[in-house]
Amino acid sequence: MWSIKIFTFAIILQGCVMISDFESTNEDYTDVNDKYIPNFVTIGQKYSIPIGSTVVLPCKLNQSEFHNNFVLAWKKDEAVVSAGHMKVSMNPRIKLIPGQSRKGGTVDLDNSYNLEIRDVRTSDTGKYICQLSSMNPREVIHTLVVLVPPKITFMTPAARMEVAKGSTVYLECHGDGNPAPTISWSRKNDVMPNGESSNEKEIIEIRNADRTAIGMYKCSADNHVGTPDTREVEVSVIYPPEIELERRMVHTGIGFEVQLICVIHAEPPANIHWFFGTAQLATTERHSQQNHGSRYSLHIRNVTIYDLGNYTCQATNKLGRDRKVMTLTGIPAVCVFDSAPLGNNRDHYNISWGTLSYSNVLEYRLFYRIQYTTTTEEETHEHQHLFQPSHQNSRKRLPYYTKQYQNQDTWINVILDEKDLLKNRELGLPNSHYRMFHHQNPGEFNPRHHISVLLRNLTPASNYEARVQARNMHGWNEMSPVFHFSTRAEDVEVELSAQPAISKNADAETTSRGTKLSIFYSYIITFLYFVSIIIENML
């Protein structure tokens, strides 16, 4: 019975709409009655509502004497939703909310009705028209847009892909939502292979894939509605072993412990073997092998002279093999200059350098010359024999300063014997040519050696270049790279701080203490001198 009434009322309402569309021929009648038709207070708006939310579409008339004589109807697009207080739509999520008006201190219901839609769905998207029944219908139009969170609808590969080195990798991802989501790719805990943090593309291409392309890639769909939707795919690249050496030459000394390191990348994982010369090494009391991730190491304890030589790190998997050779040596490391490029004086310069040696440095060879022109690689090769002493004279003590050529490009060769330097230092004998500094603490051995040499009789305001090499019981190291330094045109003046006033008593006390210390040091120096003579006679 109730459905029949609703159907009948809908037919009547549709007839009213048809009548309202009919153009009246009696214009005078229309003009007279328009002034009695109420107006809308509400204006049409666009509502963007997330799916699942509740929205209330307003429709309010102004208060007039005749507003109760008109019927207010709601339509969605062309379908009638309600007429007056009667809801025609069978949708249980739609509800009419009567409007209210205030008169004095009381609140009364008026002829306005708001439209409430609960649990908004995508099917609710469209235009909602609040229409007033009259000869010339008046209406307010609201537009409802339902916002839908992003959702990834397609991705390939689905979870994991494995390719060979050099192949091209394609990753594809598509999503849906309202508004349409933005698709972006990123790599977990790393940047993309092109160096960017992410790529806003649905399809990305990785050409010539290698081990740097390995990782977990994440597709993200985001339209700022709710939380982004994400999926991950693992990309694995299989390739033969690739070996990297931390150091090609490793320095050590007799009796020390040393570690040789190879960084190995391979997929599938490789089998690792170590060789000394051509002999494969096994685990012994003095040799052990370890690995942490891609870092493989060979530990050698209590190094002997027979352990010095070439070691090979070899890695093999089903796709191939790689091997790298490193040298375990006892010679000093290449010297490194650490003095300031610009000196403080016009005719002398304090040049200093350091090296790493696990046995005592026996001597240094310092070469320097004034730089008239830029030294080319050919010139450096031409004078290279200066820096390669033969085995026959490598231990011969030469004069402190010698010249190799009689032209403007002459290299001045300074021979520094560490044994003599230490002896002079112990005896307190001055040396006008050089000074040596050791950083070892008493009772501790420090393989780092440091020396400072004062070069005199230099040309003011000139550029010089220098090279140096060191020798220990195992031989000479390689010549250092060229170091450039300069002298000043004038000496740098150093301001002396004012001396504090000293009382007579304090001066006398200081003089007495200094005299006692001088006598004490004289005894020590004399004692050390006789000890050194006895040691030399014994040797």
Side-chain angles (χ1 to χ4, degrees), residues 466-481:
R467 303 184 79 179
V468 69
Q469 62 181 157
R471 179 177 69 85
N472 62 11
M473 61 179 292
H474 299 285
W476 290 94
N477 64 358
E478 295 182 2
M479 184 63 65
S480 70

Side-chain angles (χ1 to χ4, degrees), residues 333-338 352-355 468 480:
V334 175
C335 299
V336 178
F337 288 97
D338 55 11
S352 61
W353 65 86
T355 186
V468 69
S480 70

Side-chain angles (χ1 to χ4, degrees), residues 339-352:
S339 51
L342 179 60
N344 294 326
N345 306 98
R346 60 191 300 273
D347 60 352
H348 57 276
Y349 176 78
N350 194 16
I351 189 169
S352 61

Side-chain angles (χ1 to χ4, degrees), residues 350 425 435-440 448-452:
N350 194 16
R425 185 186 181 193
R435 297 189 302 275
M436 171 172 279
F437 302 95
H438 283 276
H439 301 293
Q440 290 92 335
R448 299 192 178 276
H449 300 252
H450 189 267
I451 189 170
S452 177

Side-chain angles (χ1 to χ4, degrees), residues 499-510:
Q499 296 295 327
I502 302 176
S503 64
K504 292 183 178 180
N505 294 335
D507 188 32
E509 183 179 352
T510 303

